[in-house]
Amino acid sequence: MPLQLDIASILLNGLQQGAIYALLGIGLTIILGTMEFLNLAHGALYLVGAYTGLIVFQETALTNGLLYSSGITTIGFEGGFLAALIVVPIVGFGVGLLMERFVAEPFYDRPETDQLLVTFGLALIVEETIKNVIGGNTFQSIAPQTIFGVNVSQPVNLPVVGLFPSWRLFIIVIAFVVIAATWLAIERTDFGLVVQAGTHDSEMVRILGIPINRSYSLVFALGAALAAFAGLIGASIQTLSPQIGTDQALLPAFLTIVVGGAGSVRGAIAGGLVLGLIISAMTQTYSQWAQIVLYLFVALMLVFRPEGLFGSGEVGE
Amino acid sequence: MSGDRSDGGTDVVPDGGTVTEGTAGGSGGSALAGLRDRDDFVVVAMAAALVVFPFLLIDVLGAIGEVIGISIGGYSGLPSLVLIYGIIVIGFNLLLGYTGLLSFGHAAFFGSAAYSAALFSQVVPSPILMVIVGTIVATLLAWPIGFVSIRRSGVYFAVLTLTFGQALYFYALGPGAWLTNGDNGFSGIEAHGLFVGAIPLDAQLIPVFDSYTVMYAFAAVVMLIAVWVANRIINSPYGLIFEALGENEERVEFVGLNVFRYKLMAFVISAVFAGVGGAMFVIHEQYIHPTTGLYWIQSGDFVIMTVLGGTGSLVGPVFGALVFEYVANVISGVTLPVVGSIGSLWRFVLGAVFVFIVWVFPRGIYGAFSDLGSRLLGGGSEESAAADGGEHE
């Protein structure tokens, strides 16, 4: 295969992986930036999204599951992944609200080591709950055959790139739609203004009389919904097991915001894409070294550009 | 990062039953004067605890288990395993509990020591030399990692240590497989020969009690040395600076001390303990794999043990190691009347207990007990008494 084709597929795969990292990173970074709360349970939210997606996908599939056995799917509508696309962010949002209220809030004024410790414990609990309730075994990815009536099971022939899995193409599109929507919500709405102001100086926002506590809940829930959504996307392209919460979500999310700059949404998107491209390029060339290069790259970033690509260098210290 | 966990600057030194108070800011002069006595006392009390520990863990709990019909006694290898993790978390606590730095990458030192000890055993299968070699490798590794990580604080420090640890893990799993045997790991690592002689490590020391093995004696001696060294550090002016760093880094800087140097030393010292533990782990388990040795969850386990047991006291974390390993190895095998088999639920229970402890008792199980003890003994405002350096019995 000629070199240019390799580069094109590296770029596309990098975009797709980078989109997942960006979704995770945005959630982590707005929570860290606004509330100065360090959430080691972010990977657990990814797991919640992935497993909720799995259950919804199975139960609303055409041929078996809850909907099928109750006779609803006779209308010929493939619920599967579409239903998961709607249900998963809602579940993530709800879990985020609960987490903010019962786990995060009591720890806002505690040392950040305590925040790390309690969310680390929470992550353990979620992971173990999934293991004991759903099972610790591996599940196949839940990519659908068709979505919106379009067949996505076959690769498409793209110019320059050549054959590329159409499902992955779909993922890139939908992930960037969500990222763009989040971006607009934070850049163009009043809610986003409060979040941005809170990132800079939450005390000042409170003094101005803005009910920042309500914003806190919303920010936390939004971050959780994004993480859950990332989990759903991840579940559609990778096998699923309870361990992936840390390896494929929590650690990449942290790496993403370190590269992008803590507290910056723009940074999370840029950082996610940079890391996605690195992973994609390394996987297609020296796959054994992919993870090592990723981690060392981040370590070097921390040493030589500690504030990240777009960060202020103050958040999280 | 401003960890104000060691409130008032008092730490309480446990010693198997009685409670004596450690030194702290308030009682600097008398503490230095009584240092030698206290040193001896801590080591002797620890030695006494180590003598009865396997008996309590295996024979007494085993007997109780027979009565109630649930096997809650430990097995013969468990006491050594608890001591090995205890050694590690005593060192880890010097970093987390005293200096206030939360590392999520100590598996790197544990694992590198374990691997180098395992490799060295193929040349000279001497347990003592294996520990020395493993510790040297861990120390040499800790220096550059600490040098880079210490530059950042808070979450960045935690993430940096984590990234180095993970890079090492993936190296051991993939490109470094020629050295580490990759995903297959090493098994059947044997330590015998020099120093401990031709006596097998699982040989019984005392005929009646099979829990007292040569391995246990070896681990107990190393544990005593570790406790002595850690106690020495904590009660030295050097250790007081570690503690001051945990309370207020800026103030230490304003006094004119080189904060970077002290933090780096705390990091390296804690890595030395992890290295000793890693080499001992390989000798004890005769097995090492990237997941048990280098994966970040192993670092997380050190964190859990330390916080469970209690930061800010010398051997508090050892209680955490005991609880952790006991739950992991004994409780996980228990079958309860109503709940049924505990099995893989143990980590769930542990996570829940961990969250509870962080939430309600930031100073851990040991801290909670010593608070309770001083409340019962002192009655009234023990908080202020503790701030003055504790009360004398």
Side-chain angles (χ1 to χ4, degrees), chain A residues 289-311:
Chain A
W289 290 86
Q291 294 287 335
I292 301 164
V293 168
L294 191 75
Y295 282 104
L296 290 182
F297 172 78
V298 175
L300 287 176
M301 270 300 282
L302 268 170
V303 174
F304 291 108
R305 197 175 160 79
E307 71 276 19
L309 295 171
F310 294 99

Side-chain angles (χ1 to χ4, degrees), chain A residues 110-126:
Chain A
R110 297 267 294 263
E112 62 189 352
T113 38
D114 283 7
Q115 299 174 353
L116 284 174
L117 294 171
V118 78
T119 48
F120 176 59
L122 185 68
L124 270 185
I125 292 175
V126 171

Side-chain angles (χ1 to χ4, degrees), chain A residues 102 110 114 246-247 306 317, chain B residues 5 152-153 295-296 358-359:
Chain A
F102 292 107
R110 297 267 294 263
D114 283 7
T246 34
D247 287 357
E317 283 280 337
Chain B
R5 40 176 65 257
R152 311 305 312 280
S153 58
Y295 193 48
W296 82 286
V358 173
W359 205 317

Side-chain angles (χ1 to χ4, degrees), chain B residues 57 61 71-74 78 82 321-332:
Chain B
L57 186 64
L61 278 181
S71 56
I72 53 168
L78 189 60
V82 169
L322 170 62
V323 171
F324 189 106
E325 291 304 319
Y326 183 74
V327 171
N329 294 295
V330 179
I331 298 297
S332 64

Side-chain angles (χ1 to χ4, degrees), chain B residues 50-392:
Chain B
L50 288 175
V51 168
V52 295
F53 174 53
F55 177 73
L56 291 175
L57 186 64
I58 298 175
D59 299 293
V60 173
L61 278 181
I64 295 173
E66 295 230 334
V67 173
I68 60 173
I70 304 166
S71 56
I72 53 168
Y75 58 95
S76 69
L78 189 60
S80 323
L81 196 63
V82 169
L83 293 196
I84 290 166
Y85 279 108
I87 292 163
I88 296 166
V89 292
I90 282 179
F92 193 80
N93 185 40
L94 286 177
L95 192 66
L96 174 62
Y98 288 87
T99 318
L101 290 169
L102 173 57
S103 161
F104 264 103
H106 262 49
F109 314 123
F110 174 82
S112 61
Y115 271 106
S116 42
L119 288 169
F120 186 76
S121 75
Q122 294 173 352
V123 189
V124 187
S126 150
I128 293 177
L129 289 182
M130 281 165 75
V131 170
I132 291 171
V133 168
T135 308
I136 290 171
V137 170
T139 312
L140 292 179
L141 188 68
W143 223 286
I145 291 181
F147 191 80
V148 174
S149 307
I150 291 295
R151 287 169 189 280
R152 311 305 312 280
S153 58
V155 64
Y156 289 110
F157 174 75
V159 173
L160 258 177
T161 50
L162 183 66
T163 56
F164 286 119
Q166 283 295 96
L168 206 65
Y169 164 73
F170 284 111
Y171 178 78
L173 209 53
W178 58 277
L179 191 64
T180 63
N181 220 7
D183 199 24
N184 296 319
F186 287 122
S187 54
I189 299 156
E190 286 194 31
H192 42 71
L194 289 173
F195 294 102
V196 178
I199 312 164
L201 285 169
D202 54 358
Q204 280 174 238
L205 276 180
I206 309 169
V208 188
F209 303 106
D210 59 351
S211 40
Y212 292 87
T213 59
V214 175
M215 180 70 219
Y216 179 76
F218 182 40
V221 169
V222 179
M223 171 60 112
L224 278 182
I225 297 170
V227 167
W228 181 74
V229 170
N231 189 50
R232 215 57 214 262
I233 293 170
I234 290 167
N235 290 318
S236 70
Y238 215 84
L240 284 179
I241 293 168
F242 288 170
E243 206 173 332
L245 277 171
E247 278 164 23
N248 192 331
E249 198 178 312
E250 272 187 349
R251 216 182 292 166
V252 176
E253 201 167 352
F254 288 157
V255 174
L257 293 167
N258 187 342
V259 167
F260 180 81
R261 208 187 80 193
Y262 285 102
K263 280 164 91 173
L264 181 59
M265 276 318 291
F267 190 80
V268 172
I269 290 170
S270 70
V272 169
F273 281 80
V276 172
M280 302 276 296
F281 179 83
V282 149
I283 295 168
H284 177 255
E285 296 281 301
Q286 305 183 329
Y287 159 82
I288 193 69
H289 181 272
T291 308
T292 45
L294 292 161
Y295 193 48
W296 82 286
I297 294 294
Q298 182 63 262
S299 305
D301 286 350
F302 298 155
V303 175
I304 292 182
M305 290 177 199
T306 308
V307 173
L308 269 189
T311 54
S313 67
L314 172 66
V315 295
V318 179
F319 288 92
L322 170 62
V323 171
F324 189 106
E325 291 304 319
Y326 183 74
V327 171
N329 294 295
V330 179
I331 298 297
S332 64
V334 163
T335 306
L336 290 176
V338 185
V339 187
S341 171
I342 303 283
S344 60
L345 270 176
W346 76 269
R347 251 184 186 277
F348 176 84
V349 175
L350 196 77
V353 171
F354 178 72
V355 167
F356 179 75
I357 293 279
V358 173
W359 205 317
V360 185
F361 304 112
R363 285 175 58 226
I365 296 171
Y366 184 75
F369 274 121
S370 67
D371 282 354
L372 189 71
S374 60
R375 191 156 302 175
L376 291 178
L377 290 172
S381 63
E382 66 293 320
E383 199 72 1
S384 61
D388 295 335
E391 65 215 43
H392 298 264

